[in-house]
Structures are given as structure tokens and as C-alpha cells.
Amino acid sequence: MAAIPAVAAAATSVFTFINLSTSLPLARITHCRLRSVIAASSLSNTEFNINFAPPKPKPSPPPIISTSKSDNDSEEQLYTPWIVRDGKGNPAPASLLHAMAIAKTSKKKKTKTKAKSENAPKSKPATFSTEPKYSKAARRFYNENFRNPAQRLSKILAAAGVASRRSSEELIFQGRVTVNGSVCKTPQTRVNPEKDIIYVNGNRLSKRLPPKLYFALNKPKGYICSCGEKETKSVMNLFDDFMKSWNKRHPGEPKPRLFTVGRLDVATTGLIIVTNDGEFAHKISHPSSNLSKEYIATIDGEVNKRHLIAISEGTFIEGVHCTPDLVELLPKQPDISRPRLRIVVHEGRNHEVRELVKNAGLQMYALKRVRIAGFRLPPDLMLGKHVELTAGNLKTLGWKK
């Protein structure tokens, strides 16, 4: 009971202090009041029963799962195997775990690199997937000296469409060609149309050569394969419309000079290649290329087995014994009354198929070429029409464009 007057006295002093200091701010008044209460409570020996809020519960550790079955599971202390602990069962500090992890990963990396170095083959030197870039001066030097090398004068004239190679040589021998202001009478002279000034019959040769062209023509009967200007029914006359529209389709480019690859007789129809590429024509037409050519021969009369044997045995043409690769009698068709033979040759001698049929005692009614190497005449290509060859067609002919 003696503590009650002491508390009352402390409270009275506090209120008195508040009344005297009404001019002070509220925060200072509250602070002073708390200090007075604490001081009064410390002077008295009274014990107050003050209860504070309970502390926040700590998160419970995850349940320990035992992998081994035993009867004394409740008595034994279980530990998770992936937690490192010391001898007393306490978990190891985080710094130790971090150091152990770094050590393990570094060892694994080293072993991997060793295994790779032992088993892997020797590395190849690095190669550029794209061409490196050079300066303008380097590109100019390359283009002037290596990109377009000098070629023979007669070949340049033929490629430019002036005339055939033989006719170009005749023009050079006649002194009608000048190179850099001087008359040149040697067809083997090396020139470059981009660097040298070439005149033919007073007309300057264009620096730009025409693009390479390749056509498949279905040659009709009565046309010859000569490129002479005096011929009225030449194969080249079938390209008149193409040449007239050249300037519209290719402005600024010189007109190409087209010619046939090999020849067909006047009476022979079918597939023939027309181009302005001399190297391509030489490779296709040369006997060393061994390109097979397929013909369909229509015979006037009956064909027996002895005729087929006679054709397969071959005949002599210009002193050379020529034998076909294949001779076959095609089955009869309702719309074709005459028998037909399929004959395949590869040498390409002059009149070879006609001589083989004549030597067998047969009379030729019509002859048509339908295939050269792997390229076959399109069935929808009409007589006198042409179609431009694609890169795939040239590949079947054994030429890479």
C-alpha cells in the first residue's frame, strides 16, 4: 500500500510538468513524460507485471527422411546426406561449403579438358568462310592483271561476234585488224579488250564481251547448219527475232554471234545445240568427249534380224571402223506404219548413222536426233523453236556454266 502514494506523486509531478511546458512541441512533451515515468519507476521498488508480444517463431527445419529401415528410428539421430556437418553434428559454415564447391567444379573442368585433348583429333587451322575484304587498290590490281587474262586475238574477235575463228584469222591476215593503233597480222597475239584498243574494218571492238548463251533447237528439215550470210535457209535464220529484240532486252551489251555445236544433215531433224561459247562447243563436239547421241531412224521397208546384226557390226567411214553402241527395233505404233530403229553412237562421224543403215541394206526414210549425252529433246518443243538451257541442262551435257 505504500507504493500507491509514490506512484500518485510521480503522476502528479508529470502532469504539473506538462502544464508548465504547454508551449513546447508535442514530441518533446511526450519524451519528457516518458523519462519522468521511467525515473519514478526506478526510484520505487514496485514490480510491474508487464507482458510483451511473443517473438516470431523460427522456421522449422525440413523433415529428415531416412533411407534405411531400422527398429530404433526414433532413438537415432538422422542426417540428410547432402548436408556437410562436423564431428558434433553441427552444419559446416557457409564459407567452407563455398570453398568446397569451387574446388570440385575446378577439378571437373580440368578433367574434361584433359579428356577432350586426349580423345579429340588435332584441330585444323582456321579457314575463312567468306573471302576477305581488300582495299580498292588491291582489287584494281587483281582485276587488271589476273581477273581477265589476255587471250588470242582471233579468239577475242570470235567471242565478240565479229566472225568465226577461221574467218577472224583471215581478217587478221588481210590487215583489217588494228591493235592500239598498229596493224596486227598475227592471230596468236595476246590482247585484252578491256585494256587494248581493237579496231576491225574501222569499227572499234566493244570492251564488254557478250554473255554466254546456250540454246536447244528443234531443227526442221531443209535447214543447214552453216553460218554463211549467203545461205537463205540456215539454222541461224531461226534466231532472227531473238537478235532483233536483243537491244531491248540487253541494252548496252554487244550482240552475240551464235553458231551450232556440230552439224546435222539437211534432211535430218531434231536436237542441235546453238551457242556463242567456243570452249563449250569444242568440248561437246570433239570425239574425245565420248558423248552418246541417240537417233530415231525411220526405215522405208521391212527390218529383219539380219539387218540389226549388220548395223551392230558397224562399217568403215573415212577409213575408220565405226560401230554403234546400241541398235534396237522399236515396237510398232498405230499412227506410224513404217518401222523405226533406235541407234546410239558416240563418235559422231560425218553421216555415221546413215552409213550404218545403208551398209545393212536398208533405205532411210527419215532421221531425227532426240538426245545428246543426258539431255533429251523436250517433247513439247515444236519444229523451228528453241529453248534456253539451264545450268542443270548444261550439267547433263558435261559442262559447268
Side-chain angles (χ1 to χ4, degrees):
M1 298 299 293
I4 295 174
V7 174
T12 305
S13 62
V14 169
F15 287 113
T16 305
F17 180 76
I18 292 172
N19 293 330
L20 293 175
S21 58
T22 53
S23 61
L24 297 175
L26 179 61
R28 294 185 62 184
I29 294 171
T30 307
H31 184 65
C32 295
R33 183 177 62 181
L34 292 175
R35 288 181 61 187
S36 301
V37 172
I38 292 170
S41 61
S42 63
L43 293 175
S44 63
N45 296 326
T46 306
E47 295 181 0
F48 297 96
N49 187 12
I50 301 174
N51 295 327
F52 297 94
K56 294 182 179 180
K58 295 183 179 179
S60 59
I64 300 174
I65 302 173
S66 175
T67 57
S68 62
K69 296 181 180 180
S70 61
D71 298 335
N72 301 328
D73 287 344
S74 60
E75 297 178 0
E76 296 180 359
Q77 186 178 3
L78 302 178
Y79 300 100
T80 50
W82 54 83
I83 297 179
V84 181
R85 300 178 183 273
D86 56 7
K88 297 181 180 180
N90 300 324
S95 59
L96 178 60
L97 296 176
H98 186 64
M100 292 175 65
I102 293 175
K104 288 182 180 180
T105 54
S106 61
K107 287 181 181 178
K108 288 182 180 179
K109 289 180 179 179
K110 289 182 181 178
T111 55
K112 285 183 179 179
T113 53
K114 287 182 180 178
K116 287 182 179 179
S117 61
E118 291 176 359
N119 300 328
K122 294 181 180 180
S123 60
K124 297 181 180 180
T127 56
F128 294 98
S129 58
T130 57
E131 295 183 0
K133 296 181 180 179
Y134 299 98
S135 63
K136 280 187 176 181
R139 293 198 301 269
R140 188 184 303 111
F141 178 80
Y142 173 80
N143 294 335
E144 291 178 355
N145 296 275
F146 300 100
R147 186 173 182 179
N148 295 321
Q151 299 179 3
R152 289 178 295 171
L153 180 59
S154 59
K155 185 177 180 180
I156 292 296
L157 296 181
V162 175
S164 63
R165 190 169 298 188
R166 292 182 181 178
S167 300
S168 299
E169 291 178 356
E170 293 178 1
L171 292 175
I172 296 171
F173 288 138
Q174 294 173 5
R176 299 164 65 179
V177 180
T178 61
V179 179
N180 297 327
S182 59
V183 178
C184 181
K185 294 186 177 182
T186 308
Q188 293 79 13
T189 303
R190 297 279 177 173
V191 295
N192 189 340
E194 294 185 357
K195 298 170 60 177
D196 300 322
I197 302 174
I198 305 172
Y199 277 86
V200 180
N201 294 328
N203 299 321
R204 183 174 178 178
L205 193 70
S206 176
K207 291 184 177 181
R208 299 177 59 183
L209 296 178
K212 302 297 183 182
L213 301 174
Y214 310 88
F215 298 97
L217 173 69
N218 190 357
K219 176 188 171 299
K221 188 176 181 179
Y223 284 81
I224 64 174
C225 297
S226 176
C227 299
E229 298 178 358
K230 298 180 181 180
E231 304 294 343
T232 56
K233 294 187 69 174
S234 173
V235 171
M236 295 300 102
N237 298 135
L238 301 174
F239 289 85
D240 289 342
D241 295 338
F242 175 80
M243 299 304 294
K244 288 179 181 178
S245 61
W246 175 264
N247 293 331
K248 294 181 179 179
R249 290 182 287 107
H250 303 277
E253 294 185 2
K255 289 184 178 181
R257 176 190 165 272
L258 300 177
F259 53 87
T260 60
V261 179
R263 293 188 179 186
L264 289 178
D265 299 333
V266 180
T268 304
T269 63
L271 176 62
I272 189 169
I273 306 298
V274 179
T275 182
N276 64 338
D277 191 348
E279 295 181 5
F280 169 76
H282 178 72
K283 182 176 181 180
I284 298 301
S285 59
H286 200 271
S288 61
S289 60
N290 290 326
L291 296 181
S292 61
K293 302 174 182 64
E294 181 178 344
Y295 294 83
I296 302 297
T298 305
I299 306 300
D300 192 1
E302 294 183 359
V303 178
N304 301 323
K305 187 176 181 180
R306 62 182 180 86
H307 296 135
L308 300 178
I309 295 174
I311 295 174
S312 61
E313 289 178 353
T315 184
F316 283 90
I317 301 175
E318 298 177 354
V320 180
H321 187 262
C322 301
T323 57
D325 298 340
L326 176 66
V327 179
E328 181 184 6
L329 179 62
L330 297 178
K332 293 184 178 180
Q333 294 184 1
D335 56 340
I336 300 176
S337 59
R338 293 180 174 85
R340 297 180 304 157
L341 297 177
R342 185 164 73 96
I343 304 176
V344 180
V345 296
H346 67 275
E347 292 185 5
R349 296 282 178 176
N350 190 22
H351 306 289
E352 182 177 1
V353 178
R354 293 183 179 273
E355 291 294 332
L356 289 172
V357 174
K358 181 180 179 181
N359 182 65
L362 297 174
Q363 186 176 357
M364 184 80 70
Y365 177 79
L367 183 63
K368 181 180 181 181
R369 184 163 64 184
V370 296
R371 180 177 62 85
I372 298 177
F375 179 75
R376 186 173 293 273
L377 181 68
D380 57 345
L381 188 62
M382 304 299 293
L383 284 172
K385 302 297 181 181
H386 62 270
V387 61
E388 189 170 359
L389 299 179
T390 62
N393 300 141
L394 296 176
K395 190 175 181 180
T396 59
L397 292 169
W399 181 260
K400 186 177 180 181
K401 187 176 179 180

